[in-house]
Amino acid sequence: MSAVFACQGFGNVLAPIVGIIVTACFKSAIDDDVRNLDYVWRLIIGLGCIPGVATLYWRLTMEDSKRFQLESAKAAAANADEDMQREKLLAKQHFAEDNMQEEGLLESPNTVLNVALADDKPRRAKTFGQYFSEWRHLKVLLGTSIAWFALDVAFYGINLNSAVVIDAIGFAGDLYKDKPSHFIIRNCLGNIIINILGSVPGYWITVFTIERLGRKTIQLMGFAMLTILYIVLGFAYHKILDKSVAGFIVLFTLAQLFQNFGPNVTTFVIPGEVFPTRFRSTAHGISAAAGKLGAIVAQGGFMQLKDRGGKNQFIDHLLEIFALFMLIGFFVTFWIPESKGKTLEEICDESEEYY
C-alpha cells in the first residue's frame, strides 16, 4: 500500500511538467493576450481526467481479494441463517395469533408481530455498531481518523508557504515585468524542485523502510519531527528568512521530507490494515473523510488568516498552530496497534460474534 501511495509523489512532479508543456504550446497566444490562460488551465484540468478514467476502468475490472470474497460468503451465510430464523419466528407468530384470535384474547393481529420484529435492524449497521461500541476497537478508529485530520490540516496548510520557498530559490519571477508564459513556467519549475527536494524522497524512504521500522514507529517519528520543525519555523520564521534563506529552505525541505517519511503515507496505510475485512473499507473511508475535513479547515479557514496584519504576516502563527496539530497526531497514534510483520487476522478481531 505504501508503494501505491508513494506514486502520489510522481503525480506531484508530473502536474507542473504538464503545466510547462501546455503553457509552452500556447506561449505566443498567452503572451499576446493573458486572457488566453483561461483555456490553458481548463485544458490542464481536462488532461488530469485521463489517469482517473484509466484507473476507474482497471478498478472496475479488478477481481476482489480472496479474503474479501470469503468474508462476503460468511456474511451471506449469516444473513441466510437470520432470514430463516425470521421466517420461523413469523410462522410461529401467525400460528399463535390465529389461536389467540379464536379464543378472543388478541384484539390486533399485528401486536405480537411488531414486538417480535422491533429489533430488526440491517445486519451490517448492527454489527458495525457492536464492533465499535467497544473502546478497544473505537479508539483505533478515532486514532486513525484524528491522526489523518491533524496531518491534513498541516499538509494542505503548509502549501501556503510554497510561494515563499519558490521565491527564495529564485523561481518566482516578476509578475509585472516577466511575460505571462515565462512567469508560469518558472513557478512550475520551482514546484518541481520543491517536490524533488523533500516530498518524493520522503515517500520512497517510507516504502523501503516501512517493513523494518513499522508503521506506528514511522508515524510517531514523523509527527514528532514535524512538531519540532514547525515550532522552529513558526517562532523564528521572520528571523530565519531575514538572516538565512538557505536555512529556511533546509528546514522547509526537512518538513516536506518528514511529512512523507511519516504520517502522510502511514495515515493511508494503517487504516487499510487494522480493521476487520467486513468493516475495513468503511473505517478507511471514515478516516479518509476526517483527513479531507482537515484539508477544508486548512484551505477554507487558515487560508483566510495568512495575510492578517499584512501579506504573509500571519504565516508564522499558522506554523505554530500546525505544530499543535502535529502534537495531537503524535499522541493519538498510541491508540493504533503496530501491524508490522503480522497477518490481517492477527491484527484484527475477526471473531464470528460480530456476524
Side-chain angles (χ1 to χ4, degrees), residues 61-118:
T61 57
M62 183 187 300
E63 184 180 2
D64 289 320
S65 68
K66 298 299 181 184
R67 181 177 280 104
F68 179 81
Q69 292 178 29
L70 178 62
E71 292 295 329
S72 297
K74 287 182 180 179
N79 286 332
D81 183 64
E82 188 177 75
D83 290 341
M84 184 179 295
Q85 295 298 324
R86 186 183 293 109
E87 291 296 329
K88 289 181 180 179
L89 177 61
L90 289 171
K92 289 180 180 179
Q93 291 293 341
H94 286 305
F95 180 76
E97 288 170 13
D98 290 340
N99 290 337
M100 294 174 75
Q101 280 183 312
E102 289 178 2
E103 298 175 9
L105 298 177
L106 186 65
E107 294 183 2
S108 172
N110 292 323
T111 303
V112 178
L113 182 62
N114 290 339
V115 172
L117 298 179

Side-chain angles (χ1 to χ4, degrees), residues 275-292:
F275 299 108
T277 303
R278 57 197 174 281
F279 307 134
R280 187 170 300 128
S281 60
T282 302
H284 195 287
I286 292 171
S287 303
K292 298 319 113 184

Side-chain angles (χ1 to χ4, degrees), residues 211 215 273 337-347:
E211 292 299 336
R215 288 86 166 136
E273 297 179 339
E338 176 56 73
S339 55
K340 180 186 71 171
K342 297 179 181 179
T343 65
L344 292 175
E345 287 77 14
E346 292 172 330
I347 300 166

